[in-house]
Amino acid sequence: RLDLRNCILLNSNSKNHSTLGMISEDTAKFFIKAPDKNLLQFILSEKVILVEGDAEYILMEAMYKNTATKDLIDAGISVIAVDGKCFKRYLEIAKILRIKVAVITDNDYNYDENITNRYAEYMTTECSNIKVFADSNNENHTFEVCLYKENKKICDDLFKSPRRTLEVLEYMLSNKAEAAYNLLSSKANELITPHYIKEAILWVNA
């Protein structure tokens, strides 16, 4: 239950130690209550991809390899799944420690409000180590929709069944982790990565 405002940190991105005494009280309290593993992994990483849920986390390694033609572990990039409402807590720390962070998130039907406005403070030259990626088309409101549109035949072949009453996309939205795992298990090398995730991978890999 450590208060980060009392910490002195060493990170591979800097030759000097850093302190987090200037983080907000709300962020400090958040990490006092949050699991320690994600925070430790985040602080010790040089580059991080933050994703919103289990489905993105499950498929990220395959999407990264299909885009960058190498493994995440070889690139030294960590992938951490956090609730989308918590992204800014991590970004507050990344800004101080200069961790390169790509946030991959959903637009939730309103790109301007949920991406442009929400993360405006991190879209500055001062925060060049941080970038937020989401599909700008409000109809592509969540990861499963974007994934299905790029991989319709694969998803239809895998998930369509006479015994299943749900349409394929409805099934994927209702069974996000299970659908992602099945795609990883059987079609990992064939998946087309949604364009905004491809942009995130190329940016954080640079």
Side-chain angles (χ1 to χ4, degrees), residues 58-190:
I58 290 168
L59 288 172
M60 184 51 61
E61 187 166 359
M63 291 188 293
Y64 183 89
K65 188 170 185 178
N66 291 348
T67 301
T69 65
K70 58 182 175 181
D71 294 326
L72 272 169
I73 192 169
D74 295 330
I77 298 171
S78 297
V79 179
I80 301 175
V82 299
D83 179 5
K85 297 176 182 177
C86 304
F87 283 140
K88 294 177 76 171
R89 305 295 187 193
Y90 287 86
L91 297 185
E92 193 173 342
I93 295 174
K95 183 177 178 180
I96 297 167
L97 298 183
R98 304 304 298 173
I99 301 167
K100 189 171 187 180
V101 180
V103 173
I104 294 175
T105 187
D106 300 333
N107 67 44
D108 293 325
Y109 294 106
N110 193 332
Y111 184 90
D112 288 342
E113 180 64 29
N114 295 321
I115 308 301
T116 304
N117 295 343
R118 179 177 294 176
Y119 298 102
E121 64 188 291
Y122 296 104
M123 297 179 182
T124 64
T125 54
E126 184 184 4
C127 297
S128 59
N129 59 305
I130 296 168
K131 197 163 183 179
V132 180
F133 297 86
D135 196 304
S136 59
N137 184 343
N138 290 337
E139 292 183 4
N140 300 332
H141 61 95
T142 193
F143 170 66
E144 284 73 23
V145 173
C146 299
L147 186 67
Y148 179 70
K149 285 186 175 181
E150 294 288 354
N151 299 276
K152 188 176 185 302
K153 186 178 187 309
I154 288 175
C155 294
D156 287 346
D157 290 346
L158 193 60
F159 301 124
K160 187 174 287 186
S161 168
R163 293 180 296 176
R164 186 170 288 150
T165 57
L166 292 175
E167 294 295 328
V168 171
L169 181 55
E170 290 176 335
Y171 170 80
M172 293 173 65
L173 288 167
S174 300
N175 302 272
K176 295 183 176 184
E178 183 68 21
Y181 179 74
N182 287 335
L183 284 167
L184 179 68
S185 300
S186 58
K187 299 291 183 178
N189 296 331
E190 301 174 40

Side-chain angles (χ1 to χ4, degrees), residues 41-57:
Q41 182 183 2
F42 184 76
I43 288 174
L44 295 177
S45 298
E46 183 178 352
K47 297 179 179 181
V48 178
I49 297 174
L50 291 179
V51 298
E52 195 163 332
D54 292 338
E56 297 95 316
Y57 182 85

